[in-house]
Amino acid sequence: MLSATDRSNIFNLNTQQLTEIPEEIFKINHLKCLQLNNNAIKALSADVGHLHELEMLSLEGNSLVSLPAEIGFLSQLQALNISHNCIKSLPNEISGFDNIRQIFASHNKLTQLPHCVGNLTNLQILGLSGNSLKTLPDSVCNLQNLHVLNLDDNHISTLPKSIFRLQHLVKLCLSGNQIKSLPKEIGHLRNLRELTLSNNHLTFLPVQLFNLANLEELILDENSLTVLSEKIEKLQQLRVLSILNNKLRAITENVCCCPFIECLTVSGNQISKLPAKIRKLNKLRELHIDRNEIVDLPEQLAHLTNLSVVTCSENGLLYLPIEMKSCWQVTKLDLQGNKLKQIPAALTSMTALLYLNLNKNNIVEIPENITCMEKLKHLELSENNLRVFSVYICKLQYLNYLDLSKNKIDRIPPEISNMASLCELLLQLNTFTGFPVEICRLKNLQKINLSDNEILNVPKEICQLQGLKDLNLSNNNFNSFPISICDVISLEVLKITQENGLKLTALPEELCNLENLVHLDVSENALKTIPNSIGEMKNLTQIIASNNQLCFLPASITSLERLQQVNLKGNQLTSLPSDFYRLRKLEKIHFDDNQMSRPPPLVCEGNQVYPIGCYLQKDDLWEERIMMKIFKTVSCNILMEDFLFFCKKLKLRDDVVKFIAKKKTLQLPEKILQALDLWRTEKQTNLTPEAVYEKLIRVLVMSDLHDIAQKAKLVKMNAMTIKY
């Protein structure tokens, strides 16, 4: 298998479903690079030690629990990647890695490092995130060439002092630990450029931290800091400062003395105003001040001509200073959740604006000057007080996303046809009484949400939307399923759930026209059946029909080979189709709150596909045997004088009955069995054995053969007693 690559010094076996490394690998001379990522390898063979010239070994995403001692023979190894395994410890033999420069061992189960790790004096990068380390050995201080140390998401509460002797450390990652305070020795890391300490328990920062004169990135998100020291001004190289979700009440003016700051994030605090000297941050490109207590923005923001992104959502802004029109390079502006009553006039000069979020304000109308933002691609105006779909919005010809949901809009102007770039249109929770026919002119529209309106019908013109992929019409007032939808053959997602609208009682057979449909959600209706034509919708991967009145599933559902999820909880199902097990890709099923008897509740418990499939297969065989036993019982008890009358009740053709009757080689019971088999194959093709049994009982009763019907019932009853 490997002969063709024997002379290669690089071998890639990523994602090959391997459970072990092929032996031929260890015979390849001069192998330099071996990649075995994303397999199912549980053990690394001791033969790996034969690869004396190996320089790179990558085993990320396997099931390794340990490394063999022989790995220490790889003296030429420069990079080792064993991330995303289950390794609990590293062998002492790694001290043989004389040339190692990079070790990635993130997301394992390491609780400690061997002392010999300090012998790896050429090591430059050490990745240990996502383990269970509480400390590091003192020998780490010998790693004088270490540039990057990643200890994110471990169990460290106190920083090992050995770290602070790593004079060449450039990047130190300590997020997601249990650190309450930083020792003063942090100031010894003079060459540090990036320090991340998010998701810890810091309440203050030592002054020595601000001696890190080369620091360019400082991330302190998700801590409990109440103040930012004035010493911050000493970090003259700082480019990124993030103090997201802390307890700051103010930002010190001294942060404005850091001339190179490009990104400032202080969202999720209790800040009421920005520094008065913020104009000095003339290199600032991103300003994130969401979820604070800011009621006005300083005019000095107008001096920040390099600003590209401003997010100021969930504050108390009443207006935007007109001076901000000078921020003509802003491409993204988020003002969601403020108290704006109108679209700020300053925006009209922000001609580079691509993304604008004005959700959850008090805006009542759209001014004409919104057309000045001619490059705008993304506009959100949800949860305002708009009553009109403004014609001025229709002039934004590059707009591809428009959210006007949760307003009071009831119609759309014809000018919407000018919005040739529009791909997503969200209009849910407005006051539409009909599907706006004007929308049907938008040839590039891919997603429409008109849920939670008062729509009564869908026009036939919807068929013009041949690029539409996602349609949500939930919670409207349809008297019946809007059949015109079935002409939109491009649809991939269709949602008509009616928790708050008129309940649909049936789905049309024409639903199968939606041959590209992947996701169908018709939950919270009053459906009694699902059309048998659903079996023709070969691309369906998800069906949600919970909380309806379904008593059975169509047999054709088992032909949906791509089906992955089925949610049918809260119906009246008693059984599943016999060949339900054929749905090989089915991963998630929900049958809770039904009246299941086949399979019984105990088998359905946990909604596991495999046991349900096994039960149905075995049950089918059992029911088939019982059916044949009932057929035999009937055949042995019908008299010759009743034969023709019985066949007539089975609705068999006269010529067929006469043919069977004339067969001299067959005894009467055999003739009756042949008639029953013919009746079943011709007349009862799609019925389960149990349903055939029920029909046969009715035929016997109609033929006045009550005694035989009673005997057949007794056979079934005895069989059920044995079964349970």
Side-chain angles (χ1 to χ4, degrees), residues 469-529:
K469 294 181 178 180
D470 190 326
L471 177 61
N472 190 341
L473 292 172
S474 301
N475 297 323
N476 278 287
N477 294 330
F478 304 118
N479 287 319
S480 61
F481 185 95
I483 199 165
S484 53
I485 293 173
C486 300
D487 293 326
V488 189
I489 58 175
S490 58
L491 270 187
E492 295 177 4
V493 177
L494 175 60
K495 298 178 182 178
I496 308 186
T497 70
Q498 294 294 94
E499 186 175 1
N500 300 317
L502 290 177
K503 306 289 184 184
L504 299 177
T505 57
L507 299 177
E509 289 288 339
E510 291 85 349
L511 192 67
C512 67
N513 294 346
L514 302 178
E515 56 189 33
N516 293 301
L517 205 66
V518 173
H519 177 110
L520 175 63
D521 187 350
V522 288
S523 56
E524 307 292 342
N525 280 288
L527 302 175
K528 291 183 169 59
T529 60

Side-chain angles (χ1 to χ4, degrees), residues 366-383:
I366 308 297
E368 183 176 3
N369 56 17
I370 195 174
T371 58
C372 297
M373 294 178 276
E374 57 184 22
K375 293 182 180 178
L376 201 62
K377 292 185 176 182
H378 184 112
L379 176 59
E380 298 186 45
L381 283 159
S382 176
E383 284 192 70

Side-chain angles (χ1 to χ4, degrees), residues 205-382:
L205 300 174
V207 293
Q208 290 81 3
L209 173 68
F210 303 102
N211 292 331
L212 303 177
N214 291 305
L215 203 62
E216 296 177 1
E217 188 169 319
L218 179 58
I219 311 296
L220 298 161
D221 301 340
E222 305 287 349
N223 280 283
S224 299
L225 298 171
T226 55
V227 295
L228 181 61
S229 171
E230 295 180 356
K231 302 285 186 183
I232 189 79
E233 66 180 359
K234 297 175 69 176
L235 303 180
Q236 287 292 293
Q237 301 302 314
L238 201 61
R239 283 171 168 74
V240 177
L241 175 60
S242 184
I243 320 177
L244 175 81
N245 294 342
N246 277 268
K247 298 179 180 179
L248 298 181
R249 291 187 175 276
I251 308 174
T252 174
E253 290 286 337
N254 290 22
V255 77
C256 302
C257 297
C258 302
F260 294 108
I261 288 185
E262 296 177 1
C263 180
L264 176 61
T265 302
V266 291
S267 301
N269 284 280
Q270 301 162 29
I271 298 166
S272 57
K273 62 180 181 178
L274 296 179
K277 299 177 182 178
I278 197 168
R279 70 180 184 281
K280 295 174 69 175
L281 297 178
N282 53 28
K283 294 190 181 299
L284 195 65
R285 293 174 55 82
E286 294 189 25
L287 176 62
H288 302 282
I289 51 177
D290 312 277
R291 301 184 311 283
N292 278 286
E293 299 171 6
I294 298 170
V295 295
D296 56 50
L297 295 175
E299 297 175 3
Q300 295 202 11
L301 285 177
H303 296 279
L304 304 179
T305 53
N306 287 308
L307 262 184
S308 177
V309 176
V310 180
T311 63
C312 186
S313 64
E314 309 296 335
N315 279 282
L317 295 182
L318 293 169
Y319 66 95
L320 207 63
I322 189 64
E323 290 78 6
M324 281 191 69
K325 65 182 181 180
S326 300
C327 300
W328 56 272
Q329 290 197 56
V330 172
T331 59
K332 178 177 180 178
L333 181 59
D334 188 346
L335 296 171
Q336 173 177 292
N338 282 283
K339 298 179 181 179
L340 302 172
K341 293 184 179 180
Q342 58 187 16
I343 294 181
L347 303 190
T348 59
S349 297
M350 295 184 182
T351 53
L353 204 59
L354 301 175
Y355 177 107
L356 176 59
N357 188 341
L358 292 165
N359 290 344
K360 297 182 181 180
N361 278 281
N362 300 315
I363 298 169
V364 296
E365 64 177 351
I366 308 297
E368 183 176 3
N369 56 17
I370 195 174
T371 58
C372 297
M373 294 178 276
E374 57 184 22
K375 293 182 180 178
L376 201 62
K377 292 185 176 182
H378 184 112
L379 176 59
E380 298 186 45
L381 283 159
S382 176

Side-chain angles (χ1 to χ4, degrees), residues 572-590:
Q572 298 171 18
L573 297 172
T574 57
S575 65
L576 297 178
S578 297
D579 51 353
F580 199 74
Y581 61 86
R582 287 174 52 194
L583 299 172
R584 302 294 184 189
K585 293 191 176 181
L586 201 58
E587 297 172 355
K588 295 181 180 179
I589 55 176
H590 297 283

Side-chain angles (χ1 to χ4, degrees), residues 587-592 603-612:
E587 297 172 355
K588 295 181 180 179
I589 55 176
H590 297 283
F591 292 122
D592 300 339
V603 177
C604 292
E605 200 172 275
N607 291 316
Q608 297 297 310
V609 179
Y610 181 73
I612 289 175

